[in-house]
Each structure stands twice: as C-alpha cells, then as structure tokens.
C-alpha cells in the first residue's frame, strides 16, 4: 500500500515540474508571437506609407540614385483596425476630445456619460441595441 502512495506522490511531483517547464516555454512562445504580430503591423504600415517599398519612406536618405532592380511584386498587406494588436483608441492627452474616437467608441462614451453612475458592459450592450 505504501508503494502505491509513494509512486503517486513521485508521479504528481514529476508532472508538476513538467507543467511548470511547459508554462515557461508557452510564455516564451507567447512573447515571440506578440513580437511577430507587432512586426507585421509595423511592416504593413511601412509598406503602405512607401507603396510597398517603391517610394522613399523618409526614414533613411538615399545616398545616390541608382537604377532600381526589377523585383517581384510584393503581396499587399491587408490590415483592419484591431488586427495584430493595432490600437483602436489613441493615448489620452490633455485637451483631447471625443472627435478622435471612432463612431462606435463615441457612442459608448455617450451611453456611459448619460448613465450618471457605474455602468456594466451589459448596460452598454442593452443601451446600444435598445430595450
């Protein structure tokens, strides 16, 4: 009977240690995924601003004009608001008004300010769609 208990304890400890290692590995993978998502957004914004790299970005001056080599056409990057971590709401600064928000966020702000007190997400959803 004691052998079963000993085996159970050893097995539980071993699995707990393995679970901790897997949590750490998953955390490292999550960081890498977030880094790659940010890189996608930055590259997409750069590609959009420079017409896929065909026009100068203004970040680095070109030292001399050289005849560009023919390169294959890059695939367009399609970004939608909120994709790959893109922020939908700008940072708050003094003097900023509701006009910087999208119409949906302005509507949420109207619902919250009209409530005159604490509001739950359910209250906003009900006000949004109507009673």
């Amino acid at each position: 009977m004691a052998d079963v208990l000993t085996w159970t304890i050893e097995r539980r400890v071993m699995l707990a240690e393995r679970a901790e290692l897997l949590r750490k590995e998953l955390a490292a993978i999550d960081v890498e995924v977030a880094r790659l998502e940010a890189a996608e957004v930055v590259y997409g914004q750069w590609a959009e601003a420079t017409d896929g790299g065909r026009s100068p970005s203004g970040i680095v001056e070109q030292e001399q004009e050289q005849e560009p080599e023919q390169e294959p056409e890059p695939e367009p990057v399609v970004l939608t608001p909120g994709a790959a971590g893109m922020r939908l709401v700008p940072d708050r600064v003094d003097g900023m008004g509701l006009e910087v928000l999208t119409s949906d966020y302005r509507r949420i702000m109207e619902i919250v300010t009209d409530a005159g007190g604490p509001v739950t997400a359910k209250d906003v959803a009900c006000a949004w769609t109507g009673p």
Side-chain angles (χ1 to χ4, degrees):
M1 188 65 96
D3 290 340
V4 172
L5 181 59
T6 302
W7 178 85
T8 304
I9 292 170
E10 288 173 352
R11 180 78 175 149
R12 180 186 53 81
V13 169
M14 183 188 73
L15 290 174
E17 289 171 353
R18 182 156 184 243
E20 183 62 28
L21 289 173
L22 290 172
R23 274 190 216 91
K24 289 178 181 179
E25 185 178 347
L26 179 60
I29 290 171
D30 284 341
V31 167
E32 182 68 15
V33 167
R35 222 182 263 150
L36 290 172
E37 286 175 346
E40 287 176 32
V41 170
V42 169
Y43 180 79
Q45 291 170 344
W46 173 82
E48 186 177 304
T50 62
D51 191 25
R54 288 184 287 279
S55 60
S57 65
I59 297 171
V60 177
E61 294 182 24
Q62 294 179 344
E63 292 185 17
Q64 52 180 269
E65 288 294 320
Q66 296 178 357
E67 200 168 307
E69 297 177 14
Q70 294 294 334
E71 294 182 6
E73 185 72 22
E75 292 184 32
V77 176
V78 179
L79 292 177
T80 58
M86 184 183 292
R87 297 183 58 204
L88 297 174
V89 180
D91 287 332
R92 175 86 169 100
V93 295
D94 289 334
M96 180 184 286
L98 293 178
E99 66 278 352
V100 300
L101 299 175
T102 63
S103 60
D104 289 338
Y105 280 100
R106 281 195 298 263
R107 177 72 179 123
I108 292 170
M109 291 300 295
E110 290 170 4
I111 293 169
V112 171
T113 54
D114 290 346
V119 180
T120 65
K122 185 176 181 180
D123 295 334
V124 172
C126 289
W128 191 287
T129 59

